[in-house]
Amino acid sequence: MAVGKMKKYREMLRNPVLRPHLPETHWMTDARALGMLKTYSSIFIKPNQGSGGSGIIRVKRLKSGYEVRCGPSMKLAGASSVLKAIHSYRKSNDRYLVQRDLRLAKYHGVIFDIRVYLQKPKHKWMISGMTARVAAPHKFVTNVHKGGHAAPLREVLLSIFHNNSAKVDNCYRKIEQLSIVIAKTINKWHPIHELGVDLAIDGTGRIWIIEANSRPGHMLFTQLPDRTMIRTILANKRSLGRTTS
């Protein structure tokens, strides 16, 4: 079974380099969800073993009540019925975690995050691919299965940093450094040779760790006009004996 989100979150939380980049996350309980909604204007409730953006619930505080969304479905709820709305979207057999929402920077008016594809074909972690993952209009997740698409990362960073090349280069370096630290940290606990790291940038330019996926898919990189990254990923997969993903 794949390693759950909470286990990897706690492993990363032990690393002082990664800790400032991790959004507040807890096991989901009714009391925890209500408490976090008092602190944050929006929260995510995610299945611990979920992938592809499936089953993610967003609860957003409104002037009067709450908006609870899961996929294309949306419910409006008052303070007394918000938990009922949340539970209506949950699968009873799954464990969930609750995480603060982030005010993400936007690219052409929609949110995006960053997928970093790391591999260890020999004895050293390397970054085989980095791309922005842009959400479909009006979506709150960026996954390809939910309509998201790849865009060249430097192009997206130049847009959000208003063509300031120095800021883009600095952000790029930080993303690379952070991703390698994440891979080494997760690898301490699990015998992995590939890792998909999802990072986000908020409106102030701060980098956040969304999650680390020990079974990353590579199809996102086939959408990029430059084929260099997908060729590198596939070449390393052949070296690792893993040609499917």
Coordinates of all heavy atoms in Angstrom, one line a residue, residues 6 45 131 160 218 232 243 245:
M6 N -0.5 11.6 5.8 CA -0.1 12.1 7.1 C 1.2 11.5 7.6 O 2.0 12.3 8.2 CB -1.2 11.7 8.1 CG -0.9 12.1 9.5 SD -0.8 14.0 9.7 CE -2.5 14.4 9.8
I45 N -10.1 19.2 3.3 CA -10.3 17.9 3.9 C -10.0 16.8 2.9 O -10.6 16.7 1.9 CB -11.7 17.7 4.5 CG1 -11.9 18.8 5.6 CG2 -11.9 16.3 5.1 CD1 -13.3 19.0 6.0
T131 N 7.6 21.2 -13.6 CA 6.6 21.9 -14.4 C 5.6 22.6 -13.5 O 5.3 22.1 -12.4 CB 5.9 20.9 -15.4 OG1 5.0 21.7 -16.2 CG2 5.2 19.8 -14.7
I160 N 4.2 35.6 -12.6 CA 3.8 36.0 -11.3 C 4.8 37.0 -10.6 O 4.4 37.7 -9.7 CB 3.5 34.8 -10.3 CG1 4.8 34.0 -10.0 CG2 2.4 33.9 -10.9 CD1 4.6 33.1 -8.9
H218 N 3.9 10.3 -14.7 CA 4.8 11.1 -15.6 C 4.0 11.8 -16.8 O 4.6 12.5 -17.5 CB 6.0 10.3 -16.1 CG 5.6 9.2 -17.0 ND1 5.6 7.9 -16.5 CD2 5.2 9.1 -18.2 CE1 5.2 7.1 -17.5 NE2 5.0 7.8 -18.6
T232 N 14.1 12.4 -20.1 CA 15.0 12.1 -19.0 C 14.3 11.1 -18.0 O 14.8 10.1 -17.5 CB 15.4 13.4 -18.3 OG1 16.1 14.2 -19.2 CG2 16.3 13.1 -17.0
T243 N 8.8 1.0 -16.3 CA 8.4 1.7 -17.5 C 7.0 2.1 -17.5 O 6.5 2.8 -18.4 CB 8.7 0.7 -18.7 OG1 8.0 -0.5 -18.5 CG2 10.2 0.5 -18.9
S245 N 3.8 4.1 -15.5 CA 3.5 5.1 -14.4 C 2.2 5.8 -14.8 O 2.1 6.2 -15.9 CB 4.6 6.0 -14.1 OG 4.3 6.9 -13.1

